[in-house]
Amino acid sequence: MISLGPLLGIEGDYQYSLVLLLPLDLEEKPLKLCLSFGGGKHELDVQACDTLRANRLYRCTIPIEKAPQPYEVTYRLIRDGRSLANTAGQSEWTFVVPGTDTLPKIGFASCNGSSSHFPSEMNNADYIMWDRLWDNHETDGLDYSFHGLLLCGDQIYADPIWERISYFKDHDLLGWRSTKKMSSHTVDPRDKADLIEEIENFYEDLYIASWSKAPVSRVLASIPSAMMWDDHDIIDGWGSYPKALQNCELFAAIFEVAKRYFELLQVRTRDNAALISNTHYSQHISFRNYEILILDNRSFRRQDQIMSDEQYEDLRRINDSALFGSCPVALEGQRVVLFAIPVPIAHLNYRRRVEEWLKWLVKGDFRKSLDDDALDHWDHHIHADEQRQLIDLIFNFGDTHSPKYVHVLSGDVHSAGAGRIKRTSGSERYVNQAVSSAIVHKPAGKIFQWFVDIVSTRKSRVKGYEVGLAEFGNEGKAPKTIYDRNVGFLYKAAAKGLKYYLILERGKTAYEWKQPPQFAPDDAQ
């Protein structure tokens, strides 16, 4: 029995990989990946590459052949002459490879969990959007199947960690709810090994419980994905806490374990060919007409910094390289630079005076003031200079490589919508943003929605740019902030331009964003 997986990933054009977990108490025997496509069968070795608390991690890279038309690849995992099944009873999976000149259909989603419940406490109705994603994947032939899936943060929710680890309960340590006590706590060396074991067991169980639900496991095995962490993949608010709490011994121990499990299961190990550095997890994927940049906003995050100087230098190095080298000639006119950034750049902007009022109202307690949520946003006044730096860099990619579009995909905010950034100096240039959140987490209540709308603005002031929300939906029928569980995707239908679409839990049809502007509208044909 497969404990978790298989987890299918994409690392570049015709570069795929998968990982899975098998129980440690299962005798080690050769494991084979059997592929069927193009009328032939292929067999690959799947190698054990790491050992966790209760499971062994296996990994395999999958070479894929070019073909003019989209085609299906069916695969099974064979051990001791038998097909292995996962916990949902699935033992055979199929994914779709886009044809050489096919514009890939790319899905995006975020926030796969609950802030208040462990996955085992949730029911099938909580995962309905994974079913909706699958239904969309299976509709209308291979050209309309999902060819890739970007999961932009909070693939797990580690929020229950304080209640589920006995050490924290025994010492009355409740994370942000006991800031001073957490900051000053010292772990007795005699307890350290047991504490680390508990934390490792927690994250291992959390990943298995989160991704073994039948609707989730089917998608993760059948649509190649690329993932990036956000705060809940570590703990709620990671990187936005005061220095004493952020750097305390307990937080450091949690981070190291969360980082390891993220690297092994979401990144599919350091062997991932898309990684651009050995010190962080930002990724670069060339995929037909797309150059995809997936930004790590958590590895070096602190209250006054979202990404490190090294991370920006790595992105500038990519911008200085020759992009779109693998883009087919037939798709040259559809080139897209696509950024996946967990937290939106253009979003509701919390007003500074309200943050200060909230702190006063609750006597300065950091977490209760909701300030970690405000600090998570690029448009928080503390991040103003860095927000401008990132926007400058995104537009530099457009200036350097002249794509048709520059798009940003984001999650995090438990609502969906669209945004736009217009450069106001020099030639008119546009970057478009789509937000899809959340695929599982329930939307905020009506009172909270009203409160957020009251205390926030829909535009941010960034020197040289207009940054704000845009309408999502035909003829203005969709609200600018959509509080409904959702999944998004990018797709170019016949005789139409490349558009954003949004599948809603309560909507009968997908919202379609009216044609977003090209990066350089004056160059449009």
Side-chain angles (χ1 to χ4, degrees):
M1 176 71 75
I2 298 171
S3 301
L4 178 63
L7 309 173
L8 180 66
I10 185 166
E11 301 177 8
D13 245 350
Y14 309 102
Q15 292 180 283
Y16 297 78
S17 65
L18 66 78
V19 296
L20 69 151
L21 295 181
L22 295 182
L24 276 179
D25 57 11
L26 192 66
E27 182 185 355
E28 277 199 82
K29 290 186 177 181
L31 183 63
K32 301 288 185 181
L33 177 67
C34 293
L35 304 161
S36 300
F37 60 89
K41 298 194 179 214
H42 310 266
E43 192 174 271
L44 301 171
D45 292 327
V46 186
Q47 303 292 341
C49 58
D50 212 324
T51 301
L52 308 182
R53 277 290 161 189
N55 294 279
R56 187 172 288 109
L57 180 75
Y58 290 79
R59 188 183 199 277
C60 181
T61 57
I62 307 173
I64 291 297
E65 297 178 1
K66 294 183 179 181
Q69 298 299 321
Y71 66 93
E72 291 183 312
V73 178
T74 298
Y75 70 95
R76 294 177 296 132
L77 290 154
I78 305 297
R79 177 185 176 274
D80 208 15
R82 297 182 178 181
S83 295
L84 294 180
N86 62 16
T87 55
Q90 303 156 355
S91 59
E92 183 176 274
W93 303 271
T94 298
F95 64 96
V96 178
V97 178
T100 307
D101 296 338
T102 301
L103 283 162
K105 178 182 175 184
I106 297 180
F108 55 101
S110 66
C111 303
N112 175 50
S114 168
S115 300
S116 55
H117 297 291
F118 201 76
S120 58
E121 302 165 350
M122 301 168 69
N123 57 47
N124 289 339
D126 292 312
Y127 296 88
I128 187 173
M129 292 312 299
W130 287 95
D131 284 326
R132 297 276 179 85
L133 190 161
W134 183 259
D135 291 343
N136 191 275
H137 172 63
E138 292 247 290
T139 301
D140 206 20
L142 301 188
D143 279 334
Y144 196 67
S145 298
F146 283 103
H147 306 119
L149 178 63
L150 297 175
L151 296 173
C152 298
D154 300 338
Q155 280 67 254
I156 60 167
Y157 272 69
D159 301 40
I161 190 170
W162 313 113
E163 290 77 28
R164 297 185 74 91
I165 291 182
S166 61
Y167 184 91
F168 296 146
K169 291 190 294 184
D170 294 344
H171 292 82
D172 196 27
L173 298 166
L174 302 173
W176 46 262
R177 289 168 289 177
S178 52
T179 297
K180 292 181 180 178
K181 195 170 185 179
M182 287 285 296
S183 301
S184 60
H185 185 84
T186 300
V187 180
D188 188 317
R190 294 170 295 182
D191 296 333
K192 190 67 175 281
D194 288 341
L195 172 60
I196 297 301
E197 181 177 349
E198 273 202 273
I199 297 173
E200 289 176 340
N201 284 332
F202 169 78
Y203 279 96
E204 192 164 334
D205 292 345
L206 179 59
Y207 270 98
I208 292 172
S210 298
W211 293 357
S212 292
K213 302 283 187 181
V216 182
S217 64
R218 176 175 57 183
V219 169
L220 294 183
S222 307
I223 303 175
S225 63
M227 307 185 194
M228 182 51 67
W229 61 358
D230 204 19
D231 58 335
H232 292 278
D233 298 287
I234 309 166
I235 53 172
D236 183 18
W238 177 262
S240 294
Y241 289 111
K243 187 175 181 179
L245 182 59
Q246 187 70 41
N247 296 336
C248 74
E249 182 181 6
L250 291 170
F251 269 34
I254 291 170
F255 178 74
E256 287 305 314
V257 174
K259 176 182 175 182
R260 180 171 182 242
Y261 278 81
F262 166 73
E263 179 179 298
L264 294 178
L265 297 175
Q266 295 200 43
V267 181
R268 301 179 310 283
T269 81
R270 275 281 170 193
D271 290 332
N272 188 327
L275 290 169
I276 67 173
S277 170
N278 290 323
T279 63
H280 58 85
Y281 296 103
S282 293
Q283 299 163 49
H284 173 213
I285 299 172
S286 298
F287 187 37
R288 303 301 192 275
N289 60 307
Y290 286 95
E291 294 289 347
I292 305 172
L293 287 304
I294 307 169
L295 305 192
D296 176 0
N297 290 172
R298 293 294 164 179
S299 285
F300 296 107
R301 193 183 192 100
R302 57 180 191 245
Q303 278 194 329
D304 62 346
Q305 172 184 285
I306 296 176
M307 295 196 300
S308 68
D309 291 342
E310 178 191 348
Q311 288 179 277
Y312 284 103
E313 284 303 314
D314 288 335
L315 291 172
R316 292 187 187 99
R317 173 176 48 81
I318 292 171
N319 188 35
D320 291 339
S321 65
L323 301 185
F324 296 106
S326 62
C327 180
V329 174
L331 302 182
E332 279 287 331
Q334 300 292 335
R335 301 192 307 175
V336 180
V337 175
L338 180 62
F339 286 85
I341 305 174
V343 178
I345 299 174
H347 187 56
L348 294 172
N349 183 18
Y350 299 124
R351 297 171 183 168
R352 183 171 184 170
R353 68 176 183 272
V354 176
E355 296 161 21
E356 296 301 321
W357 174 74
L358 282 169
K359 285 184 179 180
W360 171 83
L361 179 67
V362 295
K363 308 303 181 187
D365 184 288
F366 179 80
R367 177 55 179 86
K368 289 180 182 178
S369 74
L370 302 181
D371 200 34
D372 72 313
D373 288 330
L375 276 165
D376 266 356
H377 287 204
W378 285 95
D379 51 18
H380 191 285
H381 56 272
I382 289 179
H383 302 312
D385 290 341
E386 188 172 356
Q387 183 190 27
R388 168 75 184 278
Q389 180 183 11
L390 177 65
I391 293 174
D392 284 344
L393 183 56
I394 290 172
F395 275 85
N396 285 343
F397 270 84
D399 292 333
T400 302
H401 302 286
S402 301
K404 185 173 185 178
Y405 297 107
V406 177
H407 290 324
V408 175
L409 303 180
S410 297
D412 175 75
V413 292
H414 298 170
S415 61
R420 184 167 296 145
I421 307 171
K422 175 183 176 182
R423 189 165 66 194
T424 56
S425 59
S427 300
E428 190 174 292
R429 296 292 182 265
Y430 289 92
V431 168
N432 306 295
Q433 175 187 270
V435 178
S436 175
S437 171
I439 191 169
V440 169
H441 197 286
K442 291 182 179 179
K446 296 292 185 183
I447 294 177
F448 185 82
Q449 293 175 26
W450 171 84
F451 176 76
V452 168
D453 191 59
I454 290 295
V455 304
S456 59
T457 59
R458 298 188 177 190
K459 291 185 179 180
S460 298
R461 297 176 183 174
V462 180
K463 186 177 179 181
Y465 301 96
E466 293 178 2
V467 181
L469 302 188
E471 288 187 353
F472 203 132
N474 292 330
E475 302 174 0
K477 293 179 181 178
K480 287 192 175 181
T481 303
I482 302 167
Y483 292 101
D484 200 354
R485 290 194 286 196
N486 58 85
V487 174
F489 61 93
L490 277 167
Y491 177 67
K492 186 182 184 307
K496 291 186 177 181
L498 181 68
K499 294 186 179 183
Y500 294 128
Y501 297 84
L502 201 63
I503 307 167
L504 304 179
E505 179 179 6
R506 292 174 290 185
K508 294 182 179 179
T509 58
Y511 277 169
E512 174 184 331
W513 190 12
K514 59 185 180 182
Q515 191 64 48
Q518 298 181 21
F519 177 71
D522 48 317
D523 294 339
Q525 299 298 318

